[in-house]
Amino acid sequence: MDAKTLQNRIRGSLIGGAAGDALGYPIEFARSQEEIWRICGIGGQLLPGRFLAGGMYAEDEKALISDDTQMTLYTAYGLLNARGRSEALLPCIRDAYIEWYLGQVGWRKGRDASCWLRTVPGLNERRAPGHTCLMALKELFEQKVPVNYSKGCGGVMRIAPIPLYAVSRGWEDFVAVVRLAAEASRLTHRHPLGYLPSAVLAYLILRLVSDERPTRNALKSYVAESVAFVRTLYAEHSVEVDVLQQLLEKAVELSASTLTDVHAICLLGEGWVAEETLAIALYCSLKYFGAFDKALVAAVAHPGDSDSTGAVTGNILGAAIGYDALPRSIATTLEHHDIVLRIADELSH
């Protein structure tokens, strides 16, 4: 793949994820379909349709990102910092997360003065950060080992930069990339189902970004490949891999059904835990492989963790279709669009 095409795919995955995050953020805590329609408008068309068409916000307003995109950018910062300093990747990702945590709690002493992300308005504001992430990072900051058994989605929603960085660097060792994605999630989420979905997502993004002409059927085959790959790597967690496999196979099956999106997604869960987030994102990506806007609408318009399911859907489809195929309105309405694009380009170079 030529460098320009690869850059386009990396941009697509990061911007797509941020767009899905921003689309779902206003309705993340809606508890019923009726409440979603009240916020979004009749039939859910006001919020998703106008955001993706560029007509939802006034000229001086933006579609705000949440903690999902914040942490995704800090993941990328950790990778780039490691490259610049010739240091190990996982410790630099950990330090980047701690820097994000310190911004969330207003800590001013001992901060990383070289971290330019901390100076960007909106990237350090509280945007509904996950409790598990905050508590685990607090313990890491205090040089303790986090004690939790969480399988929340706070790990899987932030790891897209890892496979994107690996492809741009020409890594051929899928094992190293997949393990790094899992370990980056395990920093804060210690249940196997809190980090194994990150391993699967990393594999999927690796395959999609490297595929010159990805198709819906190719994505289906990559799902089976990814589960088999992770099963081999994590043989000690065969029970959890079984659970993950069954849910992902259900998502693939539902994507070909005639059920409404809301009904199908409810059969997969709400997305508050990592395996459900990945399953919902796969369902939306497969059902609307050729229609990015419809995929994002489906990914967020349900009573669950809308910003995370939207973000992972955007990461997957964006990696497949590239930035140039995304709705043009995203460039003018998405908060920090240029910052996300800058990080994507640094990853691709």
Side-chain angles (χ1 to χ4, degrees), residues 78 101 127 129-130 170 205 232 266:
Y101 161 76
R127 302 281 177 85
I205 292 176
T232 300
C266 283

Side-chain angles (χ1 to χ4, degrees), residues 16-38:
D21 172 31
L23 198 62
Y25 180 40
I27 52 177
E28 178 182 8
F29 298 106
R31 284 293 177 262
S32 68
Q33 205 63 45
E34 291 73 21
E35 186 178 357
I36 291 172
W37 296 154
R38 178 179 60 78

Side-chain angles (χ1 to χ4, degrees), residues 66-334:
S66 81
D67 62 309
D68 293 36
T69 300
Q70 290 177 344
M71 294 200 76
T72 298
L73 294 180
Y74 273 87
T75 302
Y77 174 78
L79 292 166
L80 295 168
N81 216 24
R83 183 180 69 183
R85 297 177 179 179
S86 298
E87 296 179 2
L89 294 174
L90 187 61
C92 285
I93 293 173
R94 177 203 61 208
D95 292 347
Y97 290 159
I98 291 173
E99 185 63 28
W100 171 82
Y101 161 76
L102 295 176
Q104 295 293 297
V105 299
W107 188 277
R108 298 185 181 279
K109 297 179 180 180
R111 300 288 300 275
D112 180 2
S114 67
C115 181
W116 62 270
L117 289 179
R118 62 183 286 210
T119 68
V120 179
L123 293 188
N124 298 283
E125 295 176 6
R126 283 219 172 197
R127 302 281 177 85
H131 177 75
T132 298
C133 285
L134 290 177
M135 293 300 98
L137 293 173
K138 177 179 184 293
E139 292 175 307
L140 286 174
F141 176 59
E142 295 171 348
Q143 299 184 351
K144 302 174 183 177
V145 177
V147 179
N148 69 54
Y149 207 55
S150 173
K151 61 174 186 172
C153 65
V156 72
M157 56 74 166
R158 69 188 190 224
I159 62 89
I162 293 173
L164 298 176
Y165 176 84
V167 172
S168 73
R169 300 291 289 171
W171 289 4
E172 296 182 358
D173 185 357
F174 274 33
V175 172
V177 181
V178 167
R179 282 199 182 278
L180 179 60
E183 288 304 308
S185 294
R186 191 172 178 272
L187 287 169
T188 55
H189 292 73
R190 312 286 286 186
H191 192 290
L193 283 174
Y195 56 85
L196 293 178
S198 297
V200 171
L201 179 60
Y203 186 97
L204 290 174
I205 292 176
L206 280 170
R207 295 290 272 142
L208 287 170
V209 171
S210 304
D211 190 335
E212 290 195 10
R213 294 180 179 83
T215 63
R216 182 181 184 277
N217 285 335
L219 177 55
K220 285 176 63 175
S221 68
Y222 296 155
V223 174
E225 281 182 26
S226 65
V227 173
F229 191 84
V230 170
R231 184 181 295 280
T232 300
L233 281 185
Y234 293 94
E236 70 275 21
H237 296 309
S238 59
V239 173
E240 289 83 2
V241 176
D242 284 343
V243 172
L244 183 57
Q245 180 177 6
Q246 291 169 11
L247 193 58
L248 297 186
E249 288 177 348
K250 188 175 183 180
V252 173
E253 179 183 348
L254 288 170
S255 70
S257 74
T258 58
L259 294 176
T260 65
D261 293 329
V262 173
H263 187 182
I265 288 172
C266 283
L267 293 176
L268 296 172
E270 294 185 335
W272 298 108
V273 292
E275 72 269 26
E276 292 179 3
T277 296
L278 181 58
I280 292 170
L282 274 175
Y283 164 83
C284 297
S285 299
L286 285 167
K287 184 165 184 178
Y288 299 107
F289 190 83
F292 181 82
D293 53 347
K294 291 182 179 180
L296 286 201
V297 171
V300 306
H302 62 89
D305 196 354
S306 299
D307 58 342
S308 295
T309 53
V312 177
T313 301
N315 290 146
I316 293 171
L317 273 188
I321 66 177
Y323 176 74
D324 292 344
L326 303 184
R328 292 298 87 202
S329 58
I330 289 176
T332 56
T333 54
L334 178 64

